Amino acid sequence: MSRDVHIIDHPLVQHKLTLMRKKDTSTKSFRELVHELSALLAYELTRDMPMQQIEIETPLEKMMSPVIDGKKIVLASILRAGNGFLDGMLQVLPGARVGHIGLYRDPATLKAVEYYFKMPSGMEERDVIVLDPMLATGNSAVAAVDRLKETHPRSIRFVCLVTCPQGIKTFHDAHPDVPIYTPAVDRELNEHGYIVPGLGDAGDRIFGTK
Ligand code: URA
């Protein structure tokens, strides 16, 4: 099985991520950056989406021209930090459907506990992009994809802003068929389950809750 990790090393992506990591970046700037970055990530995530030729008419003549194949893409946001990705992704994928997966991390065990799950109908014909800014322990990502697979989507991709070797291993031990798209693989997890050097708590930084 593939265990694919796509490192998105485009200079614009790396530059914006550096600004987001800085501890003195304000909530306003952080939010703007995550918005800009997610549009750039969507561009990379959809690079290998299947295409189909449809007949259209230009002002001059008919032609066959490519469009993304199949029903609409689903952006599956792992609450709450995943929602930070939505606006930017929807700018590039305006017709995408949006699903939500509510998981919280039990502070004692660091395990994921589900409290909400809502996806659009017809998942069998849809391609899903799972959104979670931090692939840290990997526990929530594994739980989210476990649940998503029960809906039998056509494909699943996972995107984050930052991950670490432990998160990738845990995720791919459970779901080797789901590619990870990330701009950064950081050094390690600390004892609290935070990625270091990382960027802190992504949810708190997006929503200004600290
Ligand atoms: N969640 C975060 O927001 N940050 C981390 O570093 C790990 C998990």
Side-chain angles (χ1 to χ4, degrees), residues 81 105 132-137 162 188-190 192-205:
R105 202 159 53 146
D132 191 355
M134 309 302 279
L135 177 57
T137 62
V162 182
E188 62 191 1
L189 278 186
N190 70 12
H192 305 294
Y194 278 86
I195 296 173
V196 280
L199 49 71
D201 188 302
D204 279 344
R205 296 201 67 187

Side-chain angles (χ1 to χ4, degrees), residues 81-177:
N83 276 7
F85 273 146
L86 282 176
D87 287 350
M89 295 253 171
L90 285 168
Q91 205 174 304
V92 179
L93 301 165
R97 301 293 194 256
V98 178
H100 291 95
I101 305 170
L103 297 167
Y104 68 88
R105 202 159 53 146
D106 184 309
T109 64
L110 302 184
K111 291 252 180 290
V113 183
E114 181 184 314
Y115 64 88
Y116 188 73
F117 186 86
K118 181 79 183 173
M119 291 295 137
S121 59
M123 289 292 281
E124 296 80 2
E125 298 167 78
R126 298 185 190 277
D127 298 298
V128 179
I129 300 172
V130 182
L131 314 175
D132 191 355
M134 309 302 279
L135 177 57
T137 62
N139 294 333
S140 336
V142 168
V145 174
D146 282 344
R147 267 304 260 122
L148 263 175
K149 283 186 172 175
E150 291 173 16
T151 70
H152 304 292
R154 185 168 71 165
S155 69
I156 305 177
R157 291 164 176 74
F158 185 93
V159 63
C160 57
L161 287 176
V162 182
T163 185
C164 59
Q166 183 178 335
I168 293 173
K169 181 175 184 319
T170 301
F171 185 75
H172 272 160
D173 283 351
H175 298 296
D177 54 318

